[in-house]
Amino acid sequence: DTGVSQDPRHKITKRGQNVTFRCDPISEHNRLYWYRQTLGQGPEFLTYFQNEAQLEKSRLLSDRFSAERPKGSFSTLEIQRTEQGDSAMYLCASSLLRTGNNGYTFGSGTRLTVV
Amino acid sequence: GENVEQHPSTLSVQEGDSAVIKCTYSDSASNYFPWYKQELGKRPQLIIDIRSNVGEKKDQRIAVTLNKTAKHFSLHITETQPEDSAVYFCAASTGNQFYFGTGTSLTVIP
């Protein structure tokens, strides 16, 4: 599969622990997005990068959340001091800048369960 | 910010019938409207999209219509099949991130 890869697929963690997720976009895509999806809801935007620059962050992205894309390729999303409310599917997507909104491809997501 | 509302939340149709899902948006600057299909435990997959300079787009059994004045757009699936059963999400974008609706769970009854 040469699409968007996310790792791990599932993560169970105890409340208060830190977790980190990884996203590998499609190689030629220079935009990378993070979304959060809770059960029965549509994906909610968290943040996006253009190359290595983080261009926008949602108000949903509290101080406990941090995302990086240091070399403009893969990205990591870290959640510190996890809370039960952080339990969700974390989706990554990538796209080509020049195609604007076209080419948006989602990864399979990382399902986080905080116990 | 943009607010996207989607109706209905659940929809059951008999195989072969048509299904219609409707969405409204609030930001008149939104110019791109994709529809995604998500099966249980899988990633959202783009099924059709429309830009604000187009009123209607069709791809085989799937069509999308857009009314910019009323700020609403709809997904139409004709001749539904059991494999169309899934959750469908509409979204709106001004150029970067998407704002998604809350989803419609479609069940096609054989």
Side-chain angles (χ1 to χ4, degrees):
Chain A
D1 189 351
T2 57
V4 178
S5 299
Q6 291 188 246
D7 183 72
R9 292 293 305 273
H10 303 275
K11 178 71 177 178
I12 300 174
T13 191
K14 291 184 178 180
R15 188 175 53 187
Q17 297 295 304
N18 298 345
V19 294
T20 300
F21 312 140
R22 176 177 170 128
C23 172
D24 287 88
I26 292 173
S27 58
E28 62 267 30
H29 284 184
N30 48 17
R31 283 196 173 181
L32 186 149
Y33 310 79
W34 285 99
Y35 289 82
R36 180 177 69 186
Q37 185 176 23
T38 53
L39 199 61
Q41 298 296 317
E44 296 172 296
F45 169 73
L46 294 178
T47 188
Y48 88 93
F49 294 83
Q50 183 170 306
N51 300 316
E52 65 275 10
Q54 188 173 17
L55 296 188
E56 188 168 347
K57 293 193 291 186
S58 162
R59 286 172 292 180
L60 292 175
L61 211 67
S62 76
D63 291 344
R64 296 185 298 105
F65 288 69
S66 62
E68 294 182 343
R69 194 183 184 198
K71 298 182 180 178
S73 56
F74 73 91
S75 175
T76 57
L77 177 68
E78 181 183 15
I79 309 175
Q80 297 182 327
R81 304 181 302 282
T82 52
E83 302 173 356
Q84 287 189 322
D86 297 332
S87 296
M89 174 75 82
Y90 290 84
L91 291 164
C92 175
S94 69
S95 73
L96 274 169
L97 172 60
R98 66 180 177 84
T99 60
N101 291 305
N102 283 342
Y104 240 86
T105 302
F106 281 92
S108 296
T110 294
R111 181 167 296 282
L112 173 66
T113 303
V114 182
V115 297
Chain B
E2 175 66 279
N3 181 45
V4 177
E5 296 189 353
Q6 183 172 346
H7 300 281
S9 57
T10 59
L11 179 60
S12 292
V13 299
Q14 291 289 331
E15 182 177 358
D17 287 351
S18 296
V20 180
I21 302 170
K22 298 182 178 182
C23 288
T24 61
Y25 62 99
S26 61
D27 190 345
S28 56
S30 288
N31 57 15
Y32 178 70
F33 307 91
W35 285 87
Y36 282 84
K37 176 182 180 182
Q38 188 175 29
E39 297 176 345
L40 192 63
K42 296 190 176 180
R43 72 188 76 189
Q45 296 207 319
L46 179 70
I47 57 171
I48 196 167
D49 57 10
I50 192 167
R51 294 191 178 277
S52 59
N53 58 349
V54 176
E56 184 174 356
K57 184 176 178 179
K58 189 173 181 180
D59 182 5
Q60 299 183 349
R61 297 186 297 108
I62 296 173
V64 57
T65 59
L66 171 65
N67 182 328
K68 283 192 300 181
T69 302
K71 295 197 188 71
H72 67 70
F73 56 114
S74 300
L75 177 71
H76 304 253
I77 306 174
T78 58
E79 301 171 17
T80 53
Q81 302 167 3
E83 51 266 38
D84 294 330
S85 296
V87 179
Y88 292 81
F89 292 100
C90 63
S93 175
T94 58
N96 300 312
Q97 73 273 28
F98 291 162
Y99 295 92
F100 284 86
T102 50
T104 296
S105 178
L106 173 64
T107 302
V108 180
I109 303 165

